[in-house]
Structures are given as structure tokens and as C-alpha cells.
């Protein structure tokens, strides 16, 4: 008799338990957002997949085609950018530090007028080893690009190992990109 | 007479507004395919594909630049003879299941698909138990009072008894 009374009392705490569970879920989600995992981030399916096959004309006339086949053998950061993209301007000065760390830097100029892109590079500097001109944005779609700037770190075998949507920050470069590149360069 | 004319006016305005509303989709005339059958397949497909930029709009509804590109890709794939499933797979290969407005049924989405029905079943179960119990207790209270209980009540209701006699 006393046992059933106790059980009945216990069920009174049911709503409280449900409430606390929900609080836990919401708090967990908030922590994730703090860490930069916002709900509008689309998880990339390209991680650990070989780089999409492409061969695009170089932005700078007279230079050879920029092709995916040439990516093998060295750790490369592919940076999708455009002169009309404001966050790209924020990211741009940081690219030099990536090159200094021994990572090859390939730019994909996304849906841009070449003359605008060239002017932009003239003003802000050109840290890229090669720049492909993707005027209709088809190659970018093969990469799963949905918001420039986007960057992809490619290992020596030509496999995508890291993707960032939005501008790279100094913290991203220091804490994630460079350690991973070091690992891949071994 | 004026009433009737007003009514006609209102109807005409309503029809025009309805027409405008129907025309307000994002698909541009130059994107459309000449083949009406393929075009209608493209429309149905793109209504189920999420625009990665706007994220809560289909590419059929979205005015985003990328949505336009994806609509064109959908139409080009259809023209080259792809089935609907192949067109979807083409985009899933690039943007993941995220582009599908209706998430596929697989192990990682089991909770999503089955969670709500399971909670509903559990709630129904709890409600059933609760209802049964209440019925049992109500049957218990419908039993007539025993002679002893009748006597107790009579003693309590006795106007001559002020409670000091200790009848209980």
C-alpha cells in the first residue's frame, strides 16, 4: 500500500522531468551554437570524397587551365571567392598566412566578371598560386557551394578533408586548418 | 442596380488579384522548357528541393541566384533523359539530403519519422490506463452503504447530539 502511494507521488514529478529534459536539449543546442555549429550550417557531404573533376580557364589570361588533376601530390586549399562578396574581403588578408604554412592556394573565382576580379586582386593583393574562373558557377555547384567564401582543404591524394562555409577566421586557421594540414603533410 | 455593379467590380478585382498571385512564382520565362511535360516534371521536382541559400524555401519559390542555377540544372538533367530520382540524386550528391524538403526514411531519420507516432501511442496508452483506473474507483464508490456506515451517518446527523457524548 505504501509502495503504490510512493509510485503515485513519483508520477507527480513526471512533468518536471519532461521540462528538465527539454531544458537540457535547448541548452545543448545553445552550446553548439556558441561553438559555431549554427542550425543554418549545412553539413557537407563532400568531406572524405575526391575533389570534383574540373578544368576551368585561368582568370589571368595566358596561363594554363586550372584542373583538378593537377591538385594531387600536395596539400591544397581551394578558396571560392568573388569580388562582389563582402566577407571575402574580410578573409582575403588571412590567406597569405595559409600560403606561408606551405599549403598550395587555388582560387575559384565564382560568378564574377574577370575584369572586376582582376581589379579586386590588384587592390588587395594576389596570394593565389592559380585562379580558376567559374563564370557560370557550375564547378562551384559540383563542390556543393552555397555561400561564398567557401574553402576546401584537399589532401595529397586529392580528397577533400575539411570544408568551411563563410570566411575563415584567424582562429579557424590557427586551430583547425593549419594543424590538419600539418597532419596531412606528414 | 448599383449594388449589382459593385458586386461585379469586386469580383473583377478579386479575379485580377488571384491571377497576380498565381503569377508570383520565382521561375523566369526564359528558364522554362518548351516541352510542357518536362516543364511540369521540373516544377514538381523543384517544389520538393530546398534552396541551400534561403533554406526554408524550395528552389521553385526562391529568387536566390543559386536557386535559379539549380532550377536550370534540374531542367537540363531532365532534357538529357534523367529520371526524377536521378535528378534528385544529382543534387543530393552535392548538397546532401539537406536539399530534399522531405527527408528520406533511413536509420539516421528513424527518430524523426517514428518519434511523433510513438509518443502519440505512449500517450494513448497512459490515457487508457488512467481511464481504466478511474472507472474502477467509480465502481467502488457506487456500492451502497453498509448498515454500520448508515448508523455512523445517522449519529453524525443527529441534532440532539452536540458531539460530546462520544457516540463515535
Amino acid at each position: 500500500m505504501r509502495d503504490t502511494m510512493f509510485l503515485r507521488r513519483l508520477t507527480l514529478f513526471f512533468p518536471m522531468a519532461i521540462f528538465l529534459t527539454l531544458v537540457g536539449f535547448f541548452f545543448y543546442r545553445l552550446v553548439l551554437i556558441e561553438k559555431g555549429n549554427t542550425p543554418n550550417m549545412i553539413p557537407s557531404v563532400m568531406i572524405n570524397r575526391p575533389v570534383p573533376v574540373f578544368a576551368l580557364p585561368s582568370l589571368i589570361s595566358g596561363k594554363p587551365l586550372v584542373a583538378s588533376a593537377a591538385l594531387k601530390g600536395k596539400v591544397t586549399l581551394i578558396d571560392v571567392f568573388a569580388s562582389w562578396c563582402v566577407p571575402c574581403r574580410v578573409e582575403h588578408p588571412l590567406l597569405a598566412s595559409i600560403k606561408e604554412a606551405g599549403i598550395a592556394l587555388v582560387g575559384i573565382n565564382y560568378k564574377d566578371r574577370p575584369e572586376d576580379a582582376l581589379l579586386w586582386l590588384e587592390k588587395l593583393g594576389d596570394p593565389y598560386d592559380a585562379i580558376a574562373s567559374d563564370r557560370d558557377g557550375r564547378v562551384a555547384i559540383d563542390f556543393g557551394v552555397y555561400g561564398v567564401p567557401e574553402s576546401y582543404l584537399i589532401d595529397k591524394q586529392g580528397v577533400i578533408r575539411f570544408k568551411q562555409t563563410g570566411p575563415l577566421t584567424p582562429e579557424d586557421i590557427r586551430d583547425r586548418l593549419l594543424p590538419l594540414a600539418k597532419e596531412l603533410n606528414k | 442596380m448599383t449594388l449589382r455593379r459593385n458586386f461585379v467590380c469586386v469580383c473583377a478585382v478579386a479575379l485580377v488579384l488571384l491571377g497576380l498571385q498565381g503569377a508570383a512564382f520565382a521561375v523566369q520565362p526564359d528558364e522554362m522548357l518548351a516541352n510542357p511535360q518536362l516543364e511540369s516534371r521540373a516544377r514538381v521536382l523543384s517544389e520538393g528541393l530546398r534552396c541551400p541559400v534561403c533554406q526554408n524555401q524550395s528552389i521553385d519559390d526562391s529568387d536566390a541566384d543559386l536557386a535559379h542555377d539549380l532550377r536550370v540544372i534540374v531542367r537540363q538533367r531532365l532534357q538529357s533523359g534523367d529520371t526524377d530520382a536521378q535528378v534528385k540524386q544529382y543534387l543530393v550528391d552535392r548538397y546532401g539530403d539537406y536539399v530534399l524538403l522531405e527527408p528520406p526514411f533511413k536509420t539516421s531519420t528513424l527518430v524523426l519519422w517514428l518519434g511523433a507516432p510513438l509518443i502519440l501511442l505512449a500517450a494513448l496508452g497512459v490515457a487508457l490506463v488512467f481511464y481504466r483506473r478511474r472507472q474502477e474507483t467509480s465502481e467502488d464508490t457506487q456500492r451502497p452503504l453498509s448498515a454500520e456506515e448508515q448508523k455512523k451517518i445517522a449519529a453524525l446527523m443527529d441534532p440532539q447530539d452536540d458531539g460530546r457524548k462520544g457516540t463515535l
Side-chain angles (χ1 to χ4, degrees):
Chain A
M1 192 60 199
R2 188 170 269 180
D3 269 4
T4 53
M5 269 302 266
F6 178 69
L7 274 176
R8 274 216 182 147
R9 284 273 160 84
L10 212 59
T11 54
L12 291 179
F13 286 95
F14 230 75
M16 174 75 110
I18 291 170
F19 172 72
L20 287 177
T21 313
L22 284 178
V23 167
F25 271 122
F26 293 146
F27 187 74
Y28 173 66
R29 195 60 225 170
L30 275 180
V31 169
L32 283 187
I33 289 172
E34 266 317 291
K35 282 187 182 162
N37 182 352
T38 52
N40 58 348
M41 279 291 166
I42 304 177
S44 178
V45 286
M46 300 306 290
I47 305 290
N48 294 329
R49 279 219 223 142
V51 110
V53 176
F54 69 89
L56 285 170
S58 171
L59 175 70
I60 298 147
S61 53
K63 286 208 176 180
L65 285 179
V66 183
S68 50
L71 294 172
K72 279 189 184 160
K74 50 185 184 278
V75 177
T76 309
L77 187 80
I78 293 185
D79 187 47
V80 185
F81 74 101
S83 69
W84 46 261
C85 144
V86 179
C88 297
R89 199 173 263 263
V90 178
E91 182 190 66
H92 193 79
L94 302 173
L95 296 177
S97 71
I98 293 169
K99 223 185 138 183
E100 272 166 30
I103 303 171
L105 203 54
V106 171
I108 293 183
N109 186 225
Y110 175 68
K111 297 194 108 178
D112 209 352
R113 276 194 302 231
E115 56 269 32
D116 291 347
L118 288 170
L119 201 67
W120 195 77
L121 290 170
E122 202 179 298
K123 248 200 291 195
L124 301 172
D126 177 5
Y128 298 103
D129 294 309
I131 305 173
S133 181
D134 187 18
R135 291 206 65 171
D136 59 6
R138 280 303 174 86
V139 169
I141 286 175
D142 285 342
F143 272 86
V145 167
Y146 66 95
V148 272
E150 286 198 14
S151 8
Y152 298 81
L153 190 69
I154 320 294
D155 70 10
K156 288 180 183 171
Q157 285 75 44
V159 176
I160 298 173
R161 303 302 291 267
F162 168 87
K163 179 200 176 176
Q164 168 105 351
T165 305
L168 289 162
T169 64
E171 292 77 33
D172 291 328
I173 294 171
R174 189 189 62 212
D175 300 336
R176 302 177 67 190
L177 198 64
L178 295 187
L180 181 60
K182 213 172 169 183
E183 188 80 13
L184 297 176
N185 250 327
K186 268 182 194 164
Chain B
M1 198 56 195
T2 46
L3 241 177
R4 197 166 162 189
R5 200 180 292 163
N6 277 347
F7 179 72
V8 169
C9 262
V10 167
C11 282
V13 168
L15 275 177
V16 168
L17 284 178
L18 270 177
L20 280 179
Q21 202 188 17
F25 49 76
V27 186
Q28 301 300 308
D30 60 314
E31 292 172 14
M32 290 182 190
L33 298 175
N35 180 338
Q37 226 173 343
L38 280 186
E39 176 61 23
S40 73
R41 265 173 74 200
R43 290 300 302 275
V44 172
L45 266 174
S46 44
E47 271 163 23
L49 292 166
R50 186 199 302 267
C51 166
V53 178
C54 329
Q55 306 197 345
N56 268 333
Q57 270 185 313
S58 70
I59 59 170
D60 197 58
D61 285 331
S62 170
D63 284 316
D65 208 27
L66 185 65
H68 160 84
D69 291 350
L70 296 181
R71 283 196 299 268
V72 170
I73 285 178
V74 165
R75 283 166 174 79
Q76 284 174 349
R77 308 284 333 163
L78 286 177
Q79 269 184 319
S80 66
D82 272 16
T83 63
D84 291 1
Q86 280 170 326
V87 174
K88 277 188 188 169
Q89 193 55 44
Y90 182 89
L91 288 172
V92 168
D93 282 343
R94 284 152 183 78
Y95 292 98
D97 287 338
Y98 196 90
V99 283
L100 304 174
L101 278 169
E102 186 177 313
F105 187 83
K106 52 191 202 182
T107 40
S108 60
T109 57
L110 274 183
V111 175
L112 180 71
W113 278 104
L114 299 180
L118 283 180
I119 289 173
L120 180 68
L121 279 180
L124 283 177
V126 168
L128 197 72
V129 168
F130 190 76
Y131 182 72
R132 282 252 175 96
R133 258 199 211 156
R134 212 160 80 162
Q135 235 177 4
E136 272 166 30
T137 49
S138 72
E139 272 164 19
D140 206 34
T141 50
Q142 275 159 12
R143 175 177 60 85
L145 295 177
S146 67
E148 200 179 332
E149 283 164 337
Q150 294 277 20
K151 224 155 90 184
K152 270 187 192 172
I153 287 179
L156 282 169
M157 302 296 283
D158 185 0
Q160 242 88 75
D161 183 3
D162 57 4
R164 272 177 291 181
K165 284 184 193 163
T167 38
L168 280 174

